[in-house]
Amino acid sequence: MIGLRPDAVVTWEDGVLTIVQRFGVHTARGLTPRIAALLGELPGALVDEDELAERLLEAGGTDQEVALFYLAVGRLRPAFVHTVEYTGEPLLKVVPVARDAVLEVPDLPADHVVRLSRFALVRQDEGELVVESPLARHKVVLSEKAMPLIAALSRGVRVGEAPEALCHLVAARVARADDAEDTDPALRTWEFHNLYFHSRSRLGRHDGPNGATYRFRGELPPEPALKPLPEGPITELYRPSLTEAAAGDPAFTTVLESRRSVRQYADAPITVRQLGELLYRAARVRGEIKAPTEGAPYESSNRVYPGGGACYELELYLTVDRCEGLDQGVYYYDPYGHRLVTLPARQEDARAMLALAGMSTGGTAKPDVLITMTSRFSRMSWKYTSLPYAATLKNVGVLYQTFYLVATAMGMAPCGLGNGDSDLAARTFGLDWAAESSVGEFLIGGAPA
C-alpha cells in the first residue's frame, strides 16, 4: 500500500510532476497526463499500486504506460507513505520525514528476533501516536492495535509472529534486527537524549519547522529585552575606562595563548572593583534597547558578546564567598544599570551552590565567586522553532569565552564549569524552573602568584 502525507501538494505542469512536502520536493519527468492524474490522488490516501495500474489500463493506458507508471512509483518511493494492515485495517504507517528517506524493507528469517531501538521514542504528535528515532528518516504512526507489539519489542519478538510489521519497523530504523547499536563505536557512545536533541535541533532528520518562525506572534507577547529587576539592596559597580583598559591589556594573541582554566586562587580575594570591571567588559548592555518593529517584532539590545537573534536570553547571578568590598551572598547582575541586586537566598542554598561548583572541578577548587548563567527560554522560543535550546547553549559558550578572555587580560583566575544543578539554582535565585533556569556556570577569583 502506498500514499502521500495529507499535507503533500501534487502539481502537474509542463510535463513535470512535483510533490511538495514539509521536508522537501520530489519531481518526475516524462509522465503522461493519466499517470499524473492517478498520482495526484495520493495525498491522504492509501492504495495498492497494482490497483492503480489496473485503473490506468481501464482508463485507456497502454502496457508501455503501465511500465512507465511503475518506474515513476519506484523513483518517487521516498515520498510515499507505506502502510501495514491487520485484519483489513491499518496497523501502522511508515511516513517519510526527510528528503532522502528511502525505505528498504528487509526479508528477515522467521526465527530472527527483532527488538525496539534504544533510540526509539513513542509520543503523541498532532493527535497521532508515533514512534520516531534520531537514526530514522521516517516516523511510524501507530494504531491502537499496534501497541502490544511495540511493548513486546522491548524484550524481543520473533519475525514469524508479525513478519510484515516487524520488517517495516526495522526498515524505518525504530527497531533493530542486529546488535549494531551496541557494537558500532559511533552509536555505542551516544545516549538517547543527546542524539535525539542533536537530530531535532538541526535540519535533515525531522519534518518540523526550523528557524525564525515567530510561532507565538499574535498569541503571546514577547518577553522584554531586560528582565524586571528583583527587589533588594543595590550595589553600584565600578565602570572602567575602556581606553585605559585597552592600553593596559596584553596583546590579543598573548591573551589567547595564555588563557587557561585556573582552579586555585590567591590568598587575597578579588575586589569588588575588579568584579565590576570584569562584568562591565564582558556582559553589560552597551547599546540602547530597541523597540519592536515589523521586521523585528521584539525588543533587542546590544551587548559586548554576540547573541543569536539579539535575543540575549542569558541572565547572570553571582554567588559570592570571598570578594573584598562585597558581602557574602547571592546577587543578580543588572546588565543595563551595571549593578548588583542582593537576593534573599538562604545561606544553606548559597553554600550548596559553591560546594557543587567545587565538586564540578573534581574537588580542586574552593570557589570565591560563582557566576551562574540562566536562560529566559521564552526569549528564544518565541522567535525560533527547533533550535532555541541549541542556540542558547551556543550563546553560553560565547559568554564563557568572553569571560575567559577578559579575565585573562585582567590577570584573574577564570574557569568554566561543565555541570550544575538547575533545581538548586532555581531555588536559590527564586526562579520558575521551566521559565528560567541555569544553563552554565563560571568561576572567577584572584590568580595565584
Side-chain angles (χ1 to χ4, degrees):
M1 301 288 285
I2 61 171
L4 290 170
R5 295 163 52 122
D7 56 2
V9 177
V10 181
T11 59
W12 166 254
E13 187 175 354
D14 296 331
V16 179
L17 182 91
T18 304
I19 302 174
V20 180
Q21 305 193 76
R22 285 184 188 178
F23 50 83
V25 178
H26 295 82
T27 60
R29 299 175 181 273
L31 305 184
T32 66
R34 279 190 288 256
I35 295 175
L38 286 174
L39 296 178
E41 299 176 8
L42 292 181
L46 291 171
V47 295
D48 186 277
E49 57 192 90
D50 293 334
E51 291 181 11
L52 288 178
E54 288 294 331
R55 286 177 53 190
L56 182 59
L57 287 171
E58 292 171 0
T62 64
D63 290 343
Q64 183 179 6
E65 204 169 1
V66 170
L68 181 59
F69 164 77
Y70 280 114
L71 180 62
V73 168
R75 288 179 176 175
L76 294 171
R77 196 165 294 278
F80 292 147
V81 175
H82 297 260
T83 302
V84 176
E85 292 188 339
Y86 177 70
T87 64
E89 296 181 1
L91 180 70
L92 55 87
K93 293 186 294 185
V94 182
V95 182
V97 297
R99 173 67 177 79
D100 54 352
V102 177
L103 194 72
E104 297 180 351
V105 181
D107 184 14
L108 299 174
D111 60 348
H112 206 85
V113 175
V114 171
R115 292 180 174 81
L116 194 67
S117 167
R118 68 181 178 90
F119 296 108
L121 170 70
V122 180
R123 70 182 183 95
Q124 181 273 127
D125 179 33
E126 298 181 351
E128 296 179 319
L129 192 64
V130 303
V131 188
E132 56 189 15
S133 165
L135 299 179
R137 291 182 173 88
H138 297 82
K139 65 180 179 182
V140 179
V141 180
L142 303 172
S143 69
E144 292 183 8
K145 293 181 179 179
M147 289 309 298
L149 176 62
I150 298 300
L153 283 173
S154 61
R155 65 175 185 274
V157 178
R158 293 189 182 278
V159 171
E161 297 183 36
E164 188 178 7
L166 292 175
C167 289
H168 274 76
L169 291 172
V170 170
R173 298 205 69 181
V174 298
R176 58 193 179 101
D178 55 35
D179 60 354
E181 292 179 5
D182 302 320
T183 58
D184 182 349
L187 293 178
R188 187 177 178 185
T189 56
W190 277 105
E191 294 176 280
F192 160 77
H193 61 285
N194 285 323
L195 191 58
Y196 187 80
F197 172 54
H198 174 58
S199 70
R200 291 307 185 267
S201 58
R202 302 182 67 82
L203 295 171
R205 288 181 178 250
H206 67 91
D207 61 350
N210 186 283
T213 61
Y214 299 99
R215 59 196 172 109
F216 295 111
R217 192 172 187 173
E219 297 181 18
L220 297 173
E223 286 198 2
L226 299 176
K227 177 180 177 176
L229 285 183
E231 295 183 0
I234 299 294
T235 301
E236 299 290 343
L237 293 173
Y238 169 65
R239 295 172 177 264
S241 163
L242 295 180
T243 302
E244 293 178 3
D249 281 349
F252 181 66
T253 300
T254 301
V255 173
L256 280 176
E257 292 299 318
S258 57
R259 183 218 52 79
R260 299 288 186 276
S261 291
V262 183
R263 301 174 182 85
Q264 300 297 324
Y265 306 112
D267 293 335
I270 61 170
T271 66
V272 68
R273 179 187 173 102
Q274 289 175 298
L275 185 60
E277 179 174 346
L278 174 71
L279 292 169
Y280 186 87
R281 294 176 63 178
R284 79 184 188 282
V285 174
R286 65 180 180 186
E288 64 178 338
I289 306 301
K290 296 181 180 179
T293 64
E294 184 62 28
Y298 55 93
E299 291 182 344
S300 59
S301 61
N302 183 319
R303 308 200 185 191
V304 180
Y305 61 95
C311 292
Y312 290 107
E313 76 286 3
L314 299 181
E315 302 288 347
L316 300 182
Y317 295 83
L318 279 65
T319 306
V320 176
D321 183 38
R322 293 198 315 159
C323 181
E324 184 182 324
L326 189 64
D327 292 338
Q328 287 183 331
V330 176
Y331 302 85
Y332 168 74
Y333 174 60
D334 170 15
Y336 190 71
H338 188 55
R339 53 191 176 174
L340 297 178
V341 181
T342 304
L343 299 179
R346 301 188 307 170
Q347 289 186 358
E348 54 266 41
D349 287 336
R351 287 195 296 268
M353 290 287 292
L354 293 168
L356 183 61
M359 291 171 58
S360 294
T361 67
T364 60
K366 185 178 184 300
D368 282 352
V369 177
L370 166 65
I371 301 173
T372 301
M373 304 171 191
T374 67
S375 173
R376 287 190 291 148
F377 302 113
S378 294
R379 280 288 291 174
M380 294 294 284
S381 58
W382 189 88
K383 176 178 180 179
Y384 295 109
T385 301
S386 292
L387 56 81
Y389 194 72
T392 286
L393 297 184
K394 292 170 185 174
N395 291 338
V396 170
V398 167
L399 189 51
Y400 268 37
Q401 179 71 337
T402 304
F403 272 127
Y404 263 117
L405 296 180
V406 175
T408 300
M410 292 177 59
M412 303 172 75
C415 181
L417 302 181
N419 201 4
D421 186 330
S422 294
D423 278 293
L424 173 60
R427 183 171 69 245
T428 303
F429 308 140
L431 305 174
D432 177 348
W433 180 89
E436 179 186 346
S437 59
S438 59
V439 289
E441 292 78 21
F442 199 92
L443 299 181
I444 197 73

